[in-house]
Amino acid sequence: MGSSGSDGSFTLTDDQQAVREAVRELALGEIAPHAADVDERERYPVEAQQALAKTGFNAVHIPEAYGGAGADAITTVIVIEEVARVCASSSLIPAVNKLGSMPLLLSASEELKARVLPEIAAGDAMISYALSEREAGSDAASMRTRARRDGDDWVLNGTKTWITNAGVSRWYTVMAVTDPDAVRPSQGISAFVVHADDEGFSVGHKERKLGIKGSPTCELHFEQCRIPGDRIIGEPGTGFATALATLDHTRPTIGAQAVGIAQGALDVAITYLKERRQFGSKLADFQALQFMVADMAMRIEAARTLTYQSAAATERGDANRTFLASAAKCLASDVAMAVTTDAVQLLGGAGYTRDFPVERMMRDAKITQIYEGTNQIQRLVMARNLLR
Ligand SMILES: Cc1cc2nc3c(=O)[nH]c(=O)nc-3n(C[C@H](O)[C@H](O)[C@H](O)COP(=O)(O)OP(=O)(O)OC[C@H]3O[C@@H](n4cnc5c(N)ncnc54)[C@H](O)[C@@H]3O)c2cc1C
């Protein structure tokens, strides 16, 4: 954990710096070379998955008790940031492993954690998070997927949409309605873990997307999907609260993804400005462009600082963690969109082609303003926390 003083300042520990160096080297050597091809062919980044699993960076957040590295929240966001700097699709491997497993870490029985988490930590399996439905996006509590008791088992019926890494994940954390008569719909929702081999489970339609094309986003179908009774996460009726508490821990990871994408685009733009010449000068000599670069770097630093601060606040359980997680995700994703758009501008016509990675980074940045709650929803969450 970075030491975080009462004045809000912090420094990264030697271990956190070392992780950044190691992931940067891995990302440049084994992930970056495939990023354009992964995007072009809309294929899963197997090279990244293998490289991350081999080095244990696939799910660093899992505690040592379950075979993981037990990394703190700042270390986890650093891993995601450094991977996103070269390939946003690949950064969803560590990010979604945290998203899918956080409900278990927060609320599951010891037996269930011991059953699922070691496989994730070892890189033998991945886990996705299934909250959204076609008609229940921002209003997630209006979901229709049902789970009912049948003897000792639970039986799930319904369809989830937009599920990141569906098909490649072996485990799925699934939120479903167990009490349709609950006074508040959110209190009638429970969380479960479903395995890809469970009877009645299937992966459906794959979305055709603007960006993060290497990360499959698919529907999940549950047709009389039968799972053992002990696969419920926590008590019946607590699933929505667990799903929201999870987002406090994972919105900082989307902030990190956004910071990484933005930094990657700035890196490319700076190299280009120092090489390209027009009107007899380097582009880097034009003050109008110097000011753009300064603004881009300034915004990235602000987003990075808030992202680390929010990760640390969530891990400590600070009272303002929900506000900070939303603020970090919202600020960093808005910064990523602005910075990547400016990076395309700085490269001129070249920036608009697939010969340079900034057009991919601009397309990839857009999703960070949408998933894990749109930035409108983040602003609602922040306002609710400020005004209550
Ligand atoms: C690539 C991708 C991957 C995803 N991965 C996952 C995943 O792994 N697991 C998962 O569960 N979900 C996932 N999602 C779903 C994602 O979280 C939702 O798309 C998102 O929450 C928005 O829901 P929606 O698409 O239904 O949009 P809508 O809720 O229909 O929103 C449409 C617009 O209306 C705005 N809006 C809605 N309500 C309000 C309001 N009250 N006030 C102001 N504005 C409002 C929104 O901000 C948005 O601009 C993913 C989505 C995508 C595109």
Side-chain angles (χ1 to χ4, degrees), residues 2 134-135 191 226 277:
R134 194 74 61 189
E135 299 305 324
R226 181 175 292 275
R277 298 182 73 87

Side-chain angles (χ1 to χ4, degrees), residues 317-366:
D318 288 1
N320 62 350
R321 63 186 180 277
T322 301
F323 169 83
L324 286 175
S326 283
K329 187 271 189 193
C330 190
L331 176 74
S333 58
D334 286 351
V335 164
M337 200 65 242
V339 166
T340 54
T341 305
D342 280 353
V344 170
Q345 190 70 20
L346 286 172
L347 269 71
Y352 200 67
T353 71
R354 277 179 275 179
D355 296 337
F356 288 86
V358 287
E359 64 84 32
R360 163 169 56 85
M361 291 164 168
M362 181 177 154
R363 287 185 285 103
D364 287 346
K366 186 63 204 172

Side-chain angles (χ1 to χ4, degrees), residues 92 96 99 128-140 160-166 173 175 207 209 211-212 215-218 367 369-378 380 384:
L92 283 163
V96 172
L99 177 65
S128 291
Y129 173 93
L131 176 68
S132 305
E133 298 180 6
R134 194 74 61 189
E135 299 305 324
S138 298
D139 183 13
K160 292 288 175 184
T161 44
W162 310 116
I163 307 311
T164 299
N165 289 350
T173 293
M175 273 50 76
E207 306 293 341
K209 307 193 299 287
I212 55 161
S215 170
T217 312
C218 308
I367 191 57
Q369 295 180 307
I370 295 173
Y371 57 17
E372 293 210 20
T374 65
N375 282 3
Q376 283 79 17
I377 296 303
Q378 306 306 330
L380 281 182
R384 203 177 291 144

Side-chain angles (χ1 to χ4, degrees), residues 4-23:
S4 186
S6 55
D7 61 352
S9 65
F10 62 80
T11 52
L12 298 184
T13 64
D14 290 347
D15 283 353
Q16 289 164 341
Q17 295 282 16
V19 165
R20 186 192 292 286
E21 293 308 317
V23 180

Side-chain angles (χ1 to χ4, degrees), residues 7 71 87 122 190 256 259 261 272 296 303 332:
D7 61 352
C87 178
S190 306
V259 168
I261 296 169
Y272 193 84
M296 290 157 81

Side-chain angles (χ1 to χ4, degrees), residues 81 255 258-260 262-263 266 291-307 327-328 330-343 346:
E81 176 190 337
V259 168
Q263 184 67 56
L266 178 61
F291 281 14
M292 282 176 74
V293 169
D295 279 344
M296 290 157 81
M298 172 178 74
R299 289 182 180 138
I300 293 170
E301 281 308 334
R304 180 178 287 123
T305 302
L306 186 56
T307 295
C330 190
L331 176 74
S333 58
D334 286 351
V335 164
M337 200 65 242
V339 166
T340 54
T341 305
D342 280 353
L346 286 172

